[in-house]
């Protein structure tokens, strides 16, 4: 087995990879990183999202930046702002121990004057969507004349979206002697043209497996009405012991509301969203890392930079608009050799999206049902039984007291005694109503019917002993774009549709 240490990366990068729980390189990383670290090379990487391609080019890029040189050395072009943001997020984490390497993402739909302001200081690596980059070059906010590394990510997607002219233009601003690393899912004819025109004898690395990094993640989904989602979540939290997870919501307000509901019900939860000050964010993360809270409720953007590696669950309270975010969210579990569960809460009308995710990301989903209160009671009692069995008694109870109690229970059979103990434990449980929260109404037109039958038990993959709301058996824990009228409407994959769903309350 090849290790990251053998790929020629610096100690600072190796340190962060070990903190992230990246145990071994994926295929594209194993094959691309040594080439990209070795010197002057152009490369074609045929790989998709989910193969670890961002790290495959991002790690060598960061390691080869010279922070002492005060100009832009690396440019990553991405077709959409979502992808651009994700790349920036990953690079920010990877560069944690590298001294003063500045990375900035610029994309359409965000105020250009703020980006111009950020560009006044040296940005060693710029991640950009093509339209916005050209705007910034024209305004002389970006200078590419000393560029050393140009990365075209999802190049096929950029061409599909009609960015050919923009690519030609951007490339005309870059020096001849730079290295070009092109990543694409396919090698269609227009890509071959780009390669012939702009690349010099490139090394080709092709990987087949789509979701290599996600092999330890079990993808599940459940159908539930919007109004029942919070209760469904608590049932999943109740049924699995030792759950430590991130719940992804769409808006800041959703994260806040959900956190309040959970805290009211005595779960150890808190929200992480864009309205929090740095101090508040740090405090939430500190509590999460210290296990003082075990459920973090976050928006996609706020969850950037969460570098925790031991999550048992990722909950998609709402599915992200962009499928690539799904990979990114779920990639936070199933790390460091541990199994993880990524579970999506869907309205019945959204089930068609599962098929799309399966197709685009090369993963399989299992449908699971929301545990009933009877399931939870059973699992909690099982847990209680195991705890009881493991209790050490030797010399811990006064002999006289034991004799007295034995006399009191003297006439009861073992069965009668067990029944009484179980009833009294059940009475201690506070499981709320026992409504069936599964929404089994027929999918509406366009929804995927294929999964209707093969429903799996929620316990699939959970394994082991379940339930603990906040630690001990009954201890309930305490603490307790708008697109802005930009010229280039393609800078965001869904253009107009997205503009209505991105509102001020978002992130
Ligand atoms: P990508 O294919 O670059 O979009 O990466 C998908 C996800 O896999 C991201 O969340 C990465 O952080 C994660 N990832 C990348 N490389 C590895 C690795 N070697 N081991 C575990 N996770 C990884």
């Amino acid at each position: 087995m090849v290790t990251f240490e053998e790929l020629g990366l610096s100690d600072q990068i190796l340190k962060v990879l070990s903190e992230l729980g990246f145990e071994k390189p994926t295929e594209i990383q194993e094959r691309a990183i040594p080439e990209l670290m070795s010197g002057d090379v152009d490369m074609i990487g045929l790989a998709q999202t989910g193969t670890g391609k961002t790290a495959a080019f991002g790690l060598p890029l960061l390691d080869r930046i010279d922070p002492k040189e005060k100009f832009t050395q690396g440019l990553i072009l991405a077709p959409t702002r979502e992808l651009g943001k994700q790349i920036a997020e990953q690079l920010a984490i990877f560069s944690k121990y590298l001294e003063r390497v500045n990375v900035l993402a610029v994309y359409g739909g965000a105020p250009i004057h703020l980006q111009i302001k950020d560009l006044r200081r040296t940005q060693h690596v710029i991640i950009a969507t093509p339209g916005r980059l050209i705007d910034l070059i024209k305004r002389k906010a970006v200078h590419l004349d000393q560029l050393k590394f140009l990365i075209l990510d999802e190049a096929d997607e950029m061409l599909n979206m009609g960015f050919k002219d923009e690519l030609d233009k951007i490339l005309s601003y870059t020096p001849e002697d730079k290295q070009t690393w092109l990543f694409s899912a396919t090698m269609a004819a227009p890509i071959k043209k780009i390669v012939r025109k702009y690349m010099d004898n490139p090394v080709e690395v092709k990987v087949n497996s789509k979701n290599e990094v996600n092999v330890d993640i079990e993808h599940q989904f459940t159908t539930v009405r919007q109004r029942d989602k919070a209760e469904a979540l608590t049932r999943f939290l109740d049924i699995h012991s030792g759950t430590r997870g991130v719940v992804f919501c769409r808006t800041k307000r959703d994260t806040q509301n959900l956190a309040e509901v959970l805290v009211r019900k005595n779960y150890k939860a808190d929200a992480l969203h864009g309205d929090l000050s740095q101090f508040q964010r740090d405090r939430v993360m500190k509590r999460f890392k210290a296990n003082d809270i075990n459920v973090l409720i976050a928006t996609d953007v706020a969850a950037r930079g969460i570098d925790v590696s031991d999550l048992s669950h990722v909950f998609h309270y709402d599915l992200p608009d962009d499928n690539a975010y799904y990979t990114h969210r779920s990639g936070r579990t199933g790390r460091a050799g541990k199994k993880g569960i990524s579970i999506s809460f869907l309205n019945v009308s959204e089930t068609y999206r599962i098929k799309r995710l399966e197709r685009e990301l090369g993963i399989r989903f299992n449908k699971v049902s929301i545990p009933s209160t009877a399931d939870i009671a059973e699992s909690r009692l099982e847990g209680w039984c195991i705890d009881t069995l493991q209790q050490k008694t030797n010399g811990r109870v006064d002999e006289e007291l034991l004799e007295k109690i034995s006399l009191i229970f003297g006439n009861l059979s073992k069965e009668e005694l067990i029944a009484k103990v179980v009833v009294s434990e059940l009475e201690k449980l506070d499981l709320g109503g026992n409504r069936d929260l599964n929404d089994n109404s027929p999918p509406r037109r366009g929804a995927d019917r294929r999964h209707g039958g093969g429903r799996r038990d929620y316990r699939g993959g959970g394994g082991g002993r379940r339930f603990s709301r906040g630690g001990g058996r009954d201890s309930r824990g305490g603490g307790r774009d708008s697109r802005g009228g930009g010229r280039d409407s393609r800078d965001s994959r869904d253009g107009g549709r997205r503009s209505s769903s991105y509102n001020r309350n978002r992130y």
Side-chain angles (χ1 to χ4, degrees):
M1 182 182 91
V2 175
T3 62
F4 277 113
E5 283 74 14
E6 293 166 68
L7 303 183
L9 295 163
S10 66
D11 289 345
Q12 290 93 321
I13 291 280
L14 294 176
K15 187 169 173 196
V16 84
L17 294 180
S18 114
E19 279 184 11
L20 285 170
F22 288 13
E23 288 209 311
K24 59 178 173 55
T26 63
E27 189 184 349
I28 184 93
Q29 292 163 1
E30 182 182 325
R31 292 171 56 197
I33 293 174
E35 295 280 356
L36 300 180
M37 288 299 289
S38 69
D40 194 2
V41 67
D42 280 358
M43 172 171 284
I44 303 170
L46 292 170
Q48 308 191 340
T49 295
T51 53
K53 70 177 162 64
T54 316
F57 64 74
L59 300 176
L61 173 69
L62 289 169
D63 249 349
R64 296 191 59 192
I65 296 293
D66 182 352
K68 285 194 255 5
E69 294 190 315
K70 304 286 177 212
F71 52 81
T72 298
Q73 298 164 47
L75 170 67
I76 302 169
L77 287 176
T80 64
R81 66 175 181 182
E82 285 74 23
L83 182 64
K85 283 183 197 170
Q86 284 174 37
I87 297 170
E89 172 188 341
Q90 292 207 50
L91 295 201
I93 295 173
F94 295 151
S95 61
K96 183 171 166 189
Y97 294 112
L98 292 173
E99 227 177 290
R100 293 190 302 276
V101 174
N102 300 330
V103 175
L104 179 72
V106 290
Y107 38 79
I112 199 165
H113 66 277
L114 294 180
Q115 295 175 352
I116 292 173
K117 201 168 142 217
D118 285 337
L119 286 161
R120 284 204 191 111
R121 71 175 189 145
T122 305
Q123 299 296 345
H124 298 100
V125 177
I126 294 177
I127 301 139
T129 49
R132 176 55 58 98
L133 183 69
I134 289 184
D135 256 5
L136 289 165
I137 293 173
K138 284 191 176 151
R139 291 174 192 226
K140 302 209 180 316
V142 170
H143 305 276
L144 300 176
D145 46 318
Q146 298 189 76
L147 195 75
K148 294 180 180 174
F149 309 99
L150 170 68
I151 292 130
L152 305 172
D153 196 13
E154 298 199 355
D156 48 350
E157 222 17 55
M158 280 197 276
L159 295 180
N160 287 342
M161 290 170 74
F163 279 132
K164 167 85 178 55
D165 292 346
E166 282 82 350
L167 286 188
D168 284 332
K169 193 157 205 152
I170 291 167
L171 278 145
S172 74
Y173 293 113
T174 62
E176 275 280 307
D177 61 355
K178 68 184 176 302
Q179 295 178 36
T180 304
W181 306 343
L182 177 146
F183 285 79
S184 172
T186 63
M187 214 27 195
I191 297 281
K192 285 191 184 142
K193 246 188 187 161
I194 295 240
V195 170
R196 269 199 305 275
K197 194 164 166 194
Y198 293 114
M199 296 176 77
D200 185 17
N201 212 6
V203 178
E204 190 175 310
V205 176
K206 181 177 176 185
V207 295
N208 293 319
S209 59
K210 272 184 168 179
N211 255 292
E212 213 189 322
V213 290
N214 278 357
V215 288
D216 283 332
I217 303 171
E218 177 169 340
H219 300 274
Q220 303 179 341
F221 76 97
T222 194
T223 46
V224 56
R225 288 182 188 85
Q226 197 64 28
R227 62 171 184 273
D228 289 332
K229 281 187 176 178
E231 193 174 341
L233 175 66
T234 61
R235 294 209 192 162
F236 280 105
L237 294 176
D238 283 351
I239 202 88
H240 291 292
S241 80
T243 296
R244 198 170 138 68
V246 177
V247 182
F248 284 96
C249 292
R250 199 178 287 269
T251 67
K252 292 187 262 198
R253 191 179 298 151
D254 290 345
T255 62
Q256 195 63 51
N257 290 346
L258 183 58
E260 281 166 18
V261 169
L262 291 186
V263 169
R264 236 181 285 132
K265 292 182 175 222
N266 294 328
Y267 291 87
K268 298 201 292 179
D270 210 342
L272 192 72
H273 58 72
D275 277 354
L276 300 183
S277 66
Q278 190 60 42
F279 175 76
Q280 289 169 316
R281 290 171 61 95
D282 289 348
R283 200 177 52 186
V284 173
M285 282 316 296
K286 218 163 145 187
R287 290 183 66 206
F288 190 51
K289 284 185 177 168
N291 257 326
D292 187 19
I293 51 177
N294 52 11
V295 185
L296 191 66
I297 302 149
T299 57
D300 286 291
V301 171
R304 280 180 194 176
I306 298 182
D307 54 348
V308 281
S309 58
D310 54 349
L311 299 183
S312 62
H313 286 73
V314 165
F315 295 93
H316 309 263
Y317 201 76
D318 304 294
L319 273 182
D321 288 339
D322 195 300
N323 286 353
Y325 266 109
Y326 179 86
T327 307
H328 208 56
R329 288 176 175 188
S330 0
R332 298 184 182 281
T333 183
R335 287 191 181 174
K338 291 186 190 148
K339 299 281 175 206
I341 292 179
S342 167
I343 176 160
S344 300
F345 288 7
L346 304 181
N347 301 141
V348 167
S349 59
E350 290 175 308
T351 46
Y352 73 96
R353 290 201 55 195
I354 292 298
K355 214 176 187 176
R356 213 158 75 190
L357 283 165
E358 288 188 329
R359 198 177 51 241
E360 286 187 17
L361 305 177
I363 52 179
R364 306 300 304 164
F365 277 84
N366 294 314
K367 182 166 185 177
V368 294
S369 46
I370 301 160
S372 67
T373 45
D375 294 329
I376 296 167
E378 186 188 322
S379 115
R380 286 173 66 168
L381 277 173
E382 264 177 37
W384 172 80
C385 290
I386 292 169
D387 282 354
T388 308
L389 278 173
Q390 286 172 346
Q391 227 18 294
K392 291 199 173 55
T393 51
N394 289 357
R396 293 183 66 188
V397 199
D398 185 83
E399 288 287 331
E400 254 177 62
L401 179 63
L402 256 188
E403 251 171 55
K404 243 185 200 167
I405 292 173
S406 298
L407 271 178
I408 297 171
F409 287 137
N411 290 333
L412 290 181
S413 69
K414 179 180 164 190
E415 287 69 29
E416 284 169 326
L417 182 58
I418 290 175
K420 284 184 190 296
V421 173
V422 166
V423 168
S424 85
E425 280 304 308
L426 275 177
E427 276 175 359
K428 285 186 205 158
L429 302 181
D430 166 25
L431 294 171
N434 59 0
R435 250 177 349 115
D436 180 6
L437 301 180
N438 295 285
D439 185 5
N440 291 322
S441 46
R444 270 156 245 149
R445 236 152 62 89
D448 179 14
R449 275 149 232 267
R450 197 172 45 125
H451 289 280
R455 166 175 291 237
R456 294 222 343 190
D457 190 78
Y458 58 86
R459 289 170 203 173
R465 193 153 73 67
R466 288 150 302 190
F467 181 76
S468 162
R469 190 182 283 187
R473 181 165 16 107
D474 233 345
S475 88
R476 293 263 182 106
R480 320 253 245 150
D481 142 274
S482 135
R483 306 253 316 107
R487 280 176 48 253
D488 195 339
S489 62
R490 289 159 302 178
D491 269 15
S492 171
R493 192 174 272 168
D494 298 7
R497 183 175 66 73
R498 191 178 301 284
S499 63
S500 57
S501 59
Y502 270 61
N503 55 41
R504 277 183 46 234
N505 188 36
R506 211 131 182 209
Y507 312 129

